[in-house]
Amino acid sequence: MMLAGLIFATEEADDKPGALAATLPFGGMTLIEYQARLLIACGAGHLMIAVARVTPALLGAVNRIAKRGVAIDIVRSAEEASAKAHPLAAVIVLADGLVTTEAAVRLAAGSAPDTLIVSEDAGSQIAVERVDAGHVWAGIAAIAAQRLADTAALPREYDFQSTLLRVAVQAGAHQVQLPTSARRAGHGVERNSSTLASRSNAVLAALATRRTSWADRFVFTPITRLALPLLVSRGIPPWSVVATGGVVAVGAVAMILLDWTIAGVVGAVAAVATLSTGSLLGWLRGDDRLARRQEAAIAIVSALAAIALGAMTARAEMTLTALVLAIALVVTGAIGERARARPAFWWGSPAGYLLLLAVATIAGYPAIGLAIVASYAAATLAAAVEALREKA
């Protein structure tokens, strides 16, 4: 099914006369860029921006969105939107000034056309407009392209967003409840710049919980949740985080090879934490390629640290056992990472293996740590193979 996005950007900011709410800062970019980022991540290949007027800030945001390789059109009416939209497309609508999460947008993207995301909480920022006696529209909808044509056929003296909602309701649109996770992440309409900044931090914190492994949940996600808002508020570019992580990683491996093993493995963990934060920062800024490269770098840093630790331990013990265990860990872990099955909470990951190695090294038992972690990687690989067999 072809997906398109329709973002409304007509309302002014409450505390900045002349500025559109859609162009207020959010997460190191503008709100409309963040909304476009969510739609693109959910598979939208065409974006339409519904405007009443075009400001320099809006034009700049649209130009930056276009650099992400998606077709984008500015439309001023339902007639223009109907003419630009593919007749067979499902259109994901985002309300003016809406702050939400990728999970909420994916819910609409995965629904049949003419589906409204709704809530029963009429007295909060979630409520955009009342749908019926018991529900309010939560600002996200999936509509058939025909609804744009239906709206265009009505008299011009109407509010585009509101009328489109009414047309969808009259067409018998299904209603789906807004996910609780979106509520916790600060879902709602906001047109005040200072309040939007606090909402930005809530969404950034939710973004940091996307990873599900135990190492990320208990160690790297808390670090990222603290660091990401600080990086965004200071406008730190993603490449600088990559550079920092790379320098720390090289230094860490060098320290291990110089037989400063404890300092080296701790430095490797710090490098992984930096790259983990940088990966999410890249995702937020719309640079998926950079984000994926940093995820790959985490695996490379963990593997190099393990091999270096195995080599130095083998040298100290005058036996190849530790080096063989390190190689087995890297090979088994790499094959396990190739598994396509959805990982379970307990499964190992490059970051998790490195954490366990760091604990064993600090405790003074690097060889035993390599043996345990190699066995853990083998168990993870076995579980991944079984999961793939069940799926087949």
Side-chain angles (χ1 to χ4, degrees), residues 77-80 82-83 145-158 160 163-164 167:
S77 64
E79 291 91 340
E80 291 185 22
S82 179
Q146 179 60 38
R147 300 299 155 251
L148 296 172
D150 295 342
T151 305
L154 296 174
R156 287 180 175 271
E157 291 76 18
Y158 57 74
F160 185 5
T163 306
L164 182 60
V167 168

Side-chain angles (χ1 to χ4, degrees), residues 121-206:
D121 191 359
S124 71
Q125 296 280 52
I126 293 174
V128 178
E129 191 170 338
R130 183 167 291 280
V131 174
D132 54 36
H135 299 90
V136 292
W137 183 43
I140 308 176
I143 64 169
Q146 179 60 38
R147 300 299 155 251
L148 296 172
D150 295 342
T151 305
L154 296 174
R156 287 180 175 271
E157 291 76 18
Y158 57 74
D159 177 81
F160 185 5
Q161 177 176 292
S162 180
T163 306
L164 182 60
L165 173 65
R166 294 299 153 200
V167 168
V169 172
Q170 291 174 6
H174 301 288
Q175 297 182 7
V176 176
Q177 285 289 330
L178 179 71
T180 303
S181 60
R183 290 173 175 269
R184 290 197 298 263
H187 177 101
V189 171
E190 186 54 65
R191 300 190 178 99
N192 182 282
S193 59
S194 58
T195 309
L196 190 61
S198 62
R199 293 257 181 138
S200 172
N201 290 337
V203 172
L204 292 177

Side-chain angles (χ1 to χ4, degrees), residues 203-280:
V203 172
L204 292 177
L207 175 63
T209 63
R210 297 176 68 198
R211 299 187 179 101
T212 57
S213 72
W214 64 267
D216 288 312
R217 182 174 299 181
F218 295 125
V219 179
F220 296 110
T221 290
I223 294 173
T224 301
R225 292 183 68 174
L226 291 174
L228 199 56
L230 297 176
L231 293 174
V232 168
S233 64
R234 288 165 173 75
I236 303 298
W239 65 263
S240 65
V241 182
V242 177
T244 301
V247 170
V248 174
V250 171
V253 174
M255 283 190 288
I256 295 174
L257 294 175
L258 291 172
D259 210 18
W260 299 339
T261 52
I262 293 178
V265 294
V266 171
V269 171
V272 168
T274 303
L275 292 170
S276 176
T277 302
S279 174
L280 289 179

Side-chain angles (χ1 to χ4, degrees), residues 322-358:
L323 181 58
V324 171
L325 287 171
I327 295 173
L329 164 60
V330 171
V331 172
T332 306
I335 297 173
E337 285 295 295
R338 295 286 296 173
R340 299 282 182 180
R342 183 179 179 85
F345 172 76
W346 67 269
W347 286 15
S349 64
Y353 301 145
L354 181 60
L355 276 176
L356 294 177
L357 285 179

